[in-house]
Every structure is written in structure tokens, then in C-alpha cells.
Amino acid sequence: MRIDASSAHLATTANPRPIQGILWTLQGSATYGLLFIFPNLWGEDISPWQLAWFRFLGGFVSILPLAAWFAATGQAKRLLPTPGLLGWHALRSALGVITFTCSVVAILHIDQANASAITMTSGVFTVAMAILLLGERPNRMVLLAGVIALMGGIVAAEPNFGQLDQFLSLGALAAFGAAFTLGLQFTVLKFITDRDSTFILVVAMSFFGTIYLAPMAFLNWTPMSGFQIMVFLGMGLLANIGQLGNVMAFRHASASFIAPVKYTGIVLTTFWAFLFLGQIPTLMFWIGAGLITVGGLLLTRSRL
């Protein structure tokens, strides 16, 4: 598989690759869902900053062999980002750090399936950023889809209606924070995804993330066993594999085709949470997840 930034390998209307797009999407969703099992199983007493730092460090370390191979085979140019895009990579990485840290906080306070469903409202924030930053004009379908998806996110958060001052838990608020910053990430990714290679997209996220998180990780450091270190470094490898799946999915099929398939991530995450954590989704979760999916599909349709 060639990893470059040229457009020759991309799917087109005359050369669609829907099956590959679906498979890459499913791979990315399943991998990310599995990744977030690790903090729940072995990281409850470790700070989210430390867990997030290991995810980005593991991602950087796991991709070094590929970088070494590029250098050894005379392909060192692939190790350099496109001129003028380094700042965009740094910005996307900063948003990725916030997203992942918020996600860890969320899954340590609420069920993983609920956190995943709430994070799926990121599409609403992506469209909102396009309206605010790119001057796009929303239509009625966009507004309706956004309201439905956000209502679904609130339902999936299982709010405490009896105590309005504690309407949403810390975990739910963190999940909404992850959704917001993930939406911003997608806005940046739309700009750079076809301007730089898949390798640079992956390695830049891990490199900058490792630097950004180091101070907070060491200030909140908790001693870990060798097993925990290996497990949490493994999160980085899974994150790279999942990120590769997401990037390749959009390079094999259109965003409008892929978007509905991504909602299978709710089901896949629910499966992992049940299998490894014994978490059983509630009726409120399924109602919320259903509303989020309906809103997301309407949003996708409105963008065609």
C-alpha cells in the first residue's frame, strides 16, 4: 500500500471503491472503540493526562520503524510535511490532545457506550464551524438535523432531571467537550487531508501530542507497573491503526457515503463495552443513540 499525498490513488465517480471505504470505516470505528477499553480496565487510578500522554507517545514510537524504513530506502522526503502546513498539523494535534483527554475523562465517569454516542454529535459541531468560519448558509434540514442530534446527545447522557444544578455529569460534559473539539479537528482535517501524506497526518498528531501533554503528565504522574506501561503504549498503536482506517476510508469513498457507516461505531463500542466491561446499555442510551444517528443521517443528506 502506497502512502502518499497524490490524488491518483483516490476514489472518483468513475472509479468508486465503496466496499473498501466501508471496510476501512468499520476498521477505524472498531479499533477506536477497543482503544478506550484500556483506561477502564487498567487506568482508573491514573490521571487522564498521563493516560493521554502514553497514547500519543505510543503512537509516535510505533510509527518510528516506518520512518526508519523511509530513511533507509532513500525516501526521506516523505518524512517532511508540505511547506506551510506545519502549523495546521500542530493545531490539529492540539485539538486531538483535548479530544482524547476529554474522552478519557468521559469513559472513567460514565459508561463507554454513552460516551461514544455523545461524541458522535461531533458532526453537528463540524457543520457549525463551517457556518461560522467558512460562511456557509444553513438550511432548515441542517438546523433540524442539528437539533435532533444534540437532543440525542443529551438523552444518551442520561441527565439528572431531579437536580438541575447537576443536570449533566462530569463524564457527559467531557464527552460533549470531546465532540466539540473533534468537530474542530474534522474542519482542519478537511483542509489538509489531501495536501499531505497519510504518514505525515499520523506522525504529526503523535509527535505534537507527546510534546503538548508531557508537562501535565509528569506533574500528575502516578507510578505504573511494566504491564500498564506496555498496555498504554499499545493505545498509541491502536490509535494509529484507527486513524489510518479513517483517512483511507475517505480516500476510497466520498464523505457523504462514509458518514452513515461511521455510526456503526456506536454499536461496535457498545459490543466492546459489554464484552470486556460488562456494561449493559439502558433504554435511554438506545433512544439517545437513535436520535443521534437520525440527526447525523439527516445532516449528511442535507450536505449532498
Side-chain angles (χ1 to χ4, degrees):
M1 177 179 64
R2 185 181 179 188
I3 303 177
D4 60 24
S6 70
S7 59
H9 65 294
L10 304 183
T12 63
T13 303
N15 181 32
R17 301 173 185 174
I19 300 300
Q20 292 95 322
I22 290 173
L23 292 177
W24 278 113
T25 302
L26 292 175
Q27 180 268 309
S29 297
T31 303
Y32 271 115
L34 180 60
L35 181 159
F36 285 107
I37 294 291
F38 292 6
N40 255 314
L41 287 177
W42 300 291
E44 288 190 353
D45 298 325
I46 299 174
S47 78
W49 301 107
Q50 189 174 342
L51 289 169
W53 183 73
F54 269 97
R55 169 264 180 265
F56 286 96
L57 177 65
F60 183 69
V61 170
S62 65
I63 207 168
L64 285 180
L66 181 58
W69 182 77
F70 283 158
T73 55
Q75 304 178 70
K77 289 189 297 183
R78 293 193 178 189
L79 304 178
L80 301 175
T82 300
L85 291 185
L86 188 61
W88 289 101
H89 288 295
L91 173 61
R92 175 173 171 256
S93 300
L95 294 171
V97 164
I98 299 172
T99 300
F100 190 85
T101 306
C102 285
S103 296
V104 171
V105 173
I107 63 173
L108 291 178
H109 289 83
I110 61 176
D111 282 358
Q112 185 166 332
N114 298 68
S116 173
I118 295 170
T119 304
M120 283 292 179
T121 62
S122 60
V124 176
F125 298 110
T126 301
V127 173
M129 289 302 103
I131 293 170
L132 293 174
L133 301 179
L134 304 180
E136 295 187 10
R137 295 178 62 85
N139 55 41
R140 292 180 180 178
M141 181 72 80
V142 169
L143 295 176
L144 175 62
V147 170
I148 292 174
L150 287 177
M151 285 178 56
I154 293 174
V155 173
E158 301 186 18
N160 185 350
F161 292 100
Q163 293 180 280
L164 293 181
D165 60 331
Q166 299 179 10
F167 182 67
L168 292 178
S169 67
L170 173 61
L173 291 173
F176 276 114
F180 176 70
T181 52
L182 186 59
L184 292 177
Q185 272 194 76
F186 287 148
T187 302
V188 175
L189 186 59
K190 283 182 179 181
F191 177 72
I192 64 176
T193 189
D194 290 332
R195 292 176 169 85
D196 239 330
S197 68
T198 304
F199 171 81
I200 292 297
L201 290 172
V202 173
V203 76
M205 175 70 80
S206 298
F207 175 74
F208 284 112
T210 302
I211 295 173
Y212 293 153
L213 282 163
M216 291 302 297
F218 288 109
L219 285 173
N220 296 274
W221 192 264
T222 299
M224 298 185 301
S225 67
F227 172 76
Q228 285 177 307
I229 291 174
M230 295 303 297
V231 163
F232 297 137
L233 286 174
M235 289 195 303
L237 175 60
L238 287 177
N240 284 349
I241 295 172
Q243 190 176 176
L244 174 64
N246 289 337
V247 172
M248 294 303 295
F250 285 105
R251 288 186 172 180
H252 280 88
S254 66
S256 60
F257 182 85
I258 290 300
V261 184
K262 289 186 72 64
Y263 285 92
T264 59
I266 297 176
V267 176
L268 293 169
T269 300
T270 302
F271 171 75
W272 292 130
F274 172 76
L275 183 64
F276 290 103
L277 305 175
Q279 295 178 353
I280 301 176
T282 63
L283 178 60
M284 289 281 282
F285 161 78
W286 288 117
I287 294 173
L291 288 172
I292 292 168
T293 302
V294 170
L297 294 179
L298 286 175
L299 195 59
T300 302
R301 182 177 178 81
S302 70
R303 308 285 284 177
L304 294 177

